[in-house]
Amino acid sequence: MRARASRPFALLWSSMMSGYLADALVWTAAPLLAVRLTQDPFAVSAISAASYLPWLLFGVAAGVAADRFDRRRLLGVANLARAAVVLGAAALVAAGRMPVWGLVVLIFVAGVLETVAEEGNQALLPRVVDVAGRDAANSRVAAGTQVAQGLVAPSAAAGLVALAAAAPFVASAAAFAAAAVLALLLPRSTGAREVAPAAAREVRDGFFRQLDDGARFLWRDRPLRTLLLVTTGSATCLTLAQAALVVYVVRTLHVPDALVGVFLAVGAIGSVLASVVLARAVERVGRPRVLAGSAVVCGPMLVVMGLVPGSRLGAGVAAAAFAAMTLGVTVWNSLTASVRQHRVPDDLLGRVSGTWRTVCWVLVPLVTLAGGALSRVDLRLPLVLGGVLATALALATARVVAGAVAASVRDPAAVGAGSREPELVAAEG
């Protein structure tokens, strides 16, 4: 990474981590609060479903916005809006007037704003880091995200809820505000880049006419299309398995509310470990085998989580299995992101990224609700069934996945391969 890019990247990285921490505080606190308000696991799963719906409904539009508008301002405004929404929710919680359906609405509205902020983050990164430094930058983002969302936020949210129900929401609002300030401190040229003639014509085409650009690119690019379809199937299986995970941990494994965050934090250790060993594993084994193998790991670990006894030992084994599962997920997400960045032109990154997430999560809200319904029968059932389905899918597609990764390097990109790289933004604003 060039020295002149270090300050803008540090600002962007700090803004991203603050936003991810704020997100995770809300995600963890909302179901914990819901468990206090209702005994219905289906109602708790509705909160999880509401977190995915925004990507299904607005993910593509958020990607178009990231490609069309000033990315720096877009990120700042989205985070300020999230701070206001969560602070309003904190007031309702403090007054004892927050119903379960109110938590569902909160997660949905915050999720809509998240789509805008996340696409802004992803589209800004190439503006502040040169090509040679992007592997290191992406690794730092992945590791920092896991620490913020997997280690810090769950434990902090659980502890804050025990202290005062509104406390994690107040802390989240403050973190969103900090993310907005850090984003707006980026050099102005970060968001307002020079537009090539072809991109200028796209802007004149209009917002809605660009909604299908990402889908058309992904459909024409065979390696990315293959990885997208497998990712969608895997995400569906894993979501089914974890639809009522917090309820399962509390009621079946008998983990106290204050230690739920610790359980989730142990799982996040797998993600941090993945960010440390991934590069060496790819160098020794090869990207195709590492990616295919990462998918095979996830399903069996979910089955183990669903079959352990409801005891301290069982909770410990489940936490270790959760860590192994998250390691596999992190490897998969990191490598598919690298393939995507290699093949997608800069001026399409927002639209392709938004479309990717929308397609991956198209069934997630319904599957989450289905997992909640299954949990009414037995809280272990979603984990076992989702794990079995994920294992079957991974084994059936392992060779196809490896071939797609190999082709992603060997074959030319489908469309727009000649698009230019963005000019690196200097540290001086």
Side-chain angles (χ1 to χ4, degrees), residues 17 20-21 23-25 27-28 142-157 260-272 322 326 330:
M17 295 309 108
Y20 293 152
L21 175 62
D23 271 330
L25 285 172
W27 295 340
T28 306
T145 301
Q146 295 305 324
V147 170
Q149 294 190 333
L151 295 177
V152 178
S155 299
V260 171
V262 176
F263 180 95
L264 299 177
V266 171
I269 292 174
S271 295
V272 176
F322 188 45
T326 55
T330 300

Side-chain angles (χ1 to χ4, degrees), residues 286-352:
R287 183 175 282 108
R289 291 182 178 178
V290 172
L291 185 62
S294 68
V296 176
V297 169
C298 299
M301 294 300 100
L302 289 169
V303 174
V304 170
M305 290 176 64
L307 295 179
V308 296
S311 62
R312 290 183 179 180
L313 176 60
V317 173
F322 188 45
M325 189 275 294
T326 55
L327 184 150
V329 170
T330 300
V331 170
W332 178 276
N333 290 340
S334 298
L335 292 183
T336 53
S338 296
V339 173
R340 198 163 61 244
Q341 291 170 354
H342 174 72
R343 298 184 68 80
V344 180
D346 175 72
D347 54 10
L348 274 172
L349 273 175
R351 281 163 282 182
V352 170

Side-chain angles (χ1 to χ4, degrees), residues 4-367:
R4 66 190 183 108
S6 59
R7 180 176 178 272
F9 174 69
L11 286 171
L12 178 60
W13 185 88
S14 299
S15 175
M16 294 171 75
M17 295 309 108
S18 185
Y20 293 152
L21 175 62
D23 271 330
L25 285 172
V26 174
W27 295 340
T28 306
L32 287 175
L33 182 58
V35 170
R36 295 184 177 184
L37 298 175
T38 180
Q39 297 297 311
D40 188 355
F42 182 80
V44 178
S45 69
I47 295 175
S48 180
S51 69
Y52 291 104
L53 270 176
W55 282 102
L56 175 61
L57 299 176
F58 302 104
V60 176
V64 175
D67 286 338
R68 286 178 63 92
F69 304 129
D70 186 303
R71 295 167 177 175
R72 167 181 160 271
R73 292 180 181 176
L74 192 70
L75 183 55
V77 170
N79 280 317
L80 284 175
R82 290 201 283 180
V85 168
V86 176
L87 191 61
L92 289 176
V93 172
R97 296 185 176 181
M98 175 65 81
V100 174
W101 65 263
L103 293 173
V104 176
V105 172
L106 166 65
I107 294 299
F108 178 79
V109 174
V112 172
L113 295 169
E114 180 202 3
T115 65
V116 178
E118 181 60 16
E119 294 307 329
N121 284 330
Q122 297 302 318
L124 273 171
L125 185 62
R127 294 293 299 148
V128 299
V129 182
D130 61 10
V131 176
R134 285 180 196 164
D135 286 344
N138 285 324
S139 177
R140 287 184 60 185
V141 169
T145 301
Q146 295 305 324
V147 170
Q149 294 190 333
L151 295 177
V152 178
S155 299
L160 288 170
V161 165
L163 179 66
F169 299 97
V170 173
S172 175
F176 278 135
V181 171
L182 289 164
L184 293 173
L185 287 175
L186 285 164
R188 292 183 179 180
S189 54
T190 303
R193 64 185 178 90
E194 296 181 3
V195 181
R201 287 194 297 271
E202 288 184 356
V203 171
R204 291 195 297 270
D205 283 344
F207 186 95
F208 292 102
R209 292 187 63 180
Q210 295 183 39
L211 289 174
D212 65 343
D213 288 347
R216 286 190 286 110
F217 184 95
L218 287 169
W219 182 253
R220 294 173 183 174
D221 193 291
R222 184 172 181 178
L224 288 180
R225 184 175 73 238
T226 299
L227 293 178
L228 175 59
L229 292 174
V230 177
T231 301
T232 301
S234 298
T236 301
C237 297
L238 298 186
T239 300
L240 174 67
Q242 300 176 80
L245 179 61
V246 172
V247 182
Y248 171 75
V249 169
V250 172
R251 297 183 182 171
T252 302
L253 299 184
H254 307 297
V255 175
D257 287 357
L259 295 180
V260 171
V262 176
F263 180 95
L264 299 177
V266 171
I269 292 174
S271 295
V272 176
L273 179 62
S275 68
V276 173
V277 304
L278 179 57
R280 183 174 298 178
V282 169
E283 181 180 352
R284 291 187 176 183
V285 182
R287 183 175 282 108
R289 291 182 178 178
V290 172
L291 185 62
S294 68
V296 176
V297 169
C298 299
M301 294 300 100
L302 289 169
V303 174
V304 170
M305 290 176 64
L307 295 179
V308 296
S311 62
R312 290 183 179 180
L313 176 60
V317 173
F322 188 45
M325 189 275 294
T326 55
L327 184 150
V329 170
T330 300
V331 170
W332 178 276
N333 290 340
S334 298
L335 292 183
T336 53
S338 296
V339 173
R340 198 163 61 244
Q341 291 170 354
H342 174 72
R343 298 184 68 80
V344 180
D346 175 72
D347 54 10
L348 274 172
L349 273 175
R351 281 163 282 182
V352 170
S353 176
T355 302
W356 182 282
R357 291 201 184 207
T358 299
V359 174
C360 284
W361 293 350
V362 66
L363 297 176
V364 163
L366 292 176
V367 171

